Amino acid sequence: MDSLPMKDMANTYIEHSIIINNFVTTVGPQLQSSICRVFGDSVKYKWAENDNKPVIPDVSINCDIRNRRSTNFLGVPKFIMEVLSDATEVYDRNDKMELYKKVEVAEYWIVDWRKKQVEMYVLSPDENSIDDAEYKLIAMITEKNKTDLRINMFPNIMIGFDQLFDCID
């Protein structure tokens, strides 16, 4: 896999930012008494698996915030969420997902604001290999089957489906 470049997000829709903000402002207070913190798309991660090129997730929950150098986190977050846009969908579903799997991000959500849909993946051991893991889709939540969204890695942390998509028509 080639290293992932930082993407110019200047042409993303405002809905992209609304979803990120809704998640951060709802989940952030629920993490206050823990060592973990939720970050929006303003933080960068650098990993050897990506030739130390910065990667900026839309949302991450990091429990190792002291492991950083300058403006970059070096540790692996427990949770990452990417919000799809026309410009980033292929990148988020392929290159980024592959990188997150490689560095062993335990849980990965893909949110499509256009469809009002959340795909929830958890990292599971690959049955064919002792060393590898694969993302397993554990839920696809839409308006038709909406429920509270619980983060598998943090079972006491919750965001309502309608809270996540608040202000999205």
Side-chain angles (χ1 to χ4, degrees), residues 120 141 145-150 158-163:
M120 305 163 109
I141 311 299
N145 69 347
K146 69 181 171 182
T147 182
D148 288 340
L149 305 170
R150 294 202 180 274
M158 185 272 303
I159 180 170
F161 183 89
D162 292 331
Q163 284 177 298

Side-chain angles (χ1 to χ4, degrees), residues 156-167:
N156 295 327
I157 305 295
M158 185 272 303
I159 180 170
F161 183 89
D162 292 331
Q163 284 177 298
L164 183 64
F165 290 99
D166 187 41
C167 293

